Amino acid sequence: MIKKISHIAIIVPDLDASLAFWRDTLGLELSHTEEVASQESIVAFLPAGEGEVELVQPTTDTSGAARFLARRGPGLHHIALEVDNLDEMLARLKAKGVRLINETPIAAAGGNRAAFIHPESANGVLVELYEAPRQ
Amino acid sequence: MIKKISHIAIIVPDLDASLAFWRDTLGLELSHTEEVASQESIVAFLPAGEGEVELVQPTTDTSGAARFLARRGPGLHHIALEVDNLDEMLARLKAKGVRLINETPIAAAGGNRAAFIHPESANGVLVELYEAPRQ
């Protein structure tokens, strides 16, 4: 049911300064940047093979990303795994007693469906389950 | 020069308890476990597409992984990006003033070559550059 690592999200205070490292120094390509209203952030997408590194700059002081940045500084925020059927996966996780942040799917970047597992159920890791649109 | 996301490493205190979530609940497959002497850890490898989730249980109290676990609890430890030529990449990073933990490659799991970039140069993220053996 899990198809691949979809992306790794890194919270940063300044997208341009971060691109100087991830794009210009490390050599990843920048596919595009997108304002993700639901996350109150601007996100830069840098493909790496079949996955992506995402740099997330909060645009407000109130989002989860902004509070993470204020509390812990820049760093790894979450990993996203692509699933083929998000509804089935969420039903399965609920049945097994996994603590979910989103019991029903939310809108992720690009308008796709996603849901987050609480770090308490996943060894301290914030895990996004991401469902790509069917081709 | 960067080919893909090679793996995401998560430090855990108890591999069996963690497999109950990542394998049995989430549905990832366990390919194998391996004692990685250079990291003083036992590592479980769970493929996801072209990448892997790695669960790392320290086997001593002195390794970087053990100190991370003691200080911060379980969680995301590092991401690994696969490069086609590690020597070239390290030369490039040094020329650009990036702070490296390993100026020359070390032995990673499977006997492959790797080097770590210091989080200070990478938005608080510990980044492993991993060179797979040439086919």
Side-chain angles (χ1 to χ4, degrees):
Chain A
M1 293 179 82
I2 289 179
K3 297 167 74 178
K4 63 174 184 176
I5 298 168
S6 166
H7 61 262
I8 293 162
I10 300 164
I11 307 286
V12 304
D14 178 339
L15 217 45
D16 288 332
S18 296
L19 286 171
F21 172 70
W22 297 93
R23 178 190 56 191
D24 305 336
T25 300
L26 209 53
L28 289 169
E29 282 187 32
L30 172 65
S31 76
H32 65 291
T33 59
E34 180 182 331
E35 182 149 10
V36 183
S38 63
Q39 291 178 38
E40 302 172 32
S41 298
I42 303 176
V43 181
F45 296 83
L46 300 109
E50 68 184 11
E52 289 179 320
V53 172
E54 295 187 6
L55 304 174
V56 179
Q57 180 192 319
T59 51
T60 68
D61 293 333
T62 51
S63 65
R67 284 180 280 121
F68 177 96
L69 184 61
R71 199 173 60 242
R72 304 182 44 170
L76 283 173
H77 183 254
H78 70 269
I79 63 170
L81 301 173
E82 186 177 316
V83 297
D84 54 2
N85 189 318
L86 184 55
D87 296 321
E88 267 182 32
M89 177 62 89
L90 291 177
R92 173 179 169 158
L93 295 179
K94 275 184 246 185
K96 296 220 182 196
V98 171
R99 185 172 168 196
L100 299 172
I101 292 176
N102 310 110
E103 300 238 336
T104 55
I106 58 169
N112 299 320
R113 303 164 78 231
F116 283 86
I117 300 172
H118 196 284
E120 189 183 88
S121 285
N123 292 124
V125 181
L126 180 58
V127 178
E128 178 181 358
L129 300 170
Y130 175 89
E131 186 186 80
R134 289 176 178 77
Q135 302 295 321
Chain B
M1 290 179 84
I2 289 178
K3 296 167 74 179
K4 63 175 185 179
I5 298 169
S6 166
H7 61 263
I8 292 162
I10 299 164
I11 306 286
V12 304
D14 178 340
L15 217 46
D16 287 333
S18 295
L19 286 171
F21 171 70
W22 297 93
R23 178 190 57 193
D24 304 336
T25 300
L26 208 53
L28 288 169
E29 284 187 30
L30 173 66
S31 75
H32 65 291
T33 59
E34 179 183 333
E35 181 148 11
V36 183
S38 64
Q39 291 178 36
E40 303 173 29
S41 297
I42 303 176
V43 182
F45 296 84
L46 301 109
E50 66 183 14
E52 289 181 318
V53 172
E54 295 187 5
L55 304 174
V56 179
Q57 179 191 321
T59 51
T60 69
D61 292 333
T62 52
S63 66
R67 284 180 282 122
F68 177 97
L69 184 61
R71 198 173 60 243
R72 303 180 45 170
L76 283 174
H77 183 255
H78 69 268
I79 63 168
L81 301 173
E82 186 177 316
V83 297
D84 53 3
N85 189 318
L86 183 57
D87 295 322
E88 267 182 30
M89 178 64 90
L90 291 177
R92 174 179 168 157
L93 296 178
K94 275 184 247 185
K96 296 223 182 195
V98 171
R99 185 171 169 195
L100 300 173
I101 292 176
N102 310 111
E103 300 238 335
T104 54
I106 58 170
N112 300 320
R113 303 165 77 232
F116 283 86
I117 299 172
H118 195 284
E120 190 182 90
S121 284
N123 292 126
V125 181
L126 180 58
V127 178
E128 178 181 359
L129 300 170
Y130 174 91
E131 186 186 80
R134 289 176 178 76
Q135 301 297 320

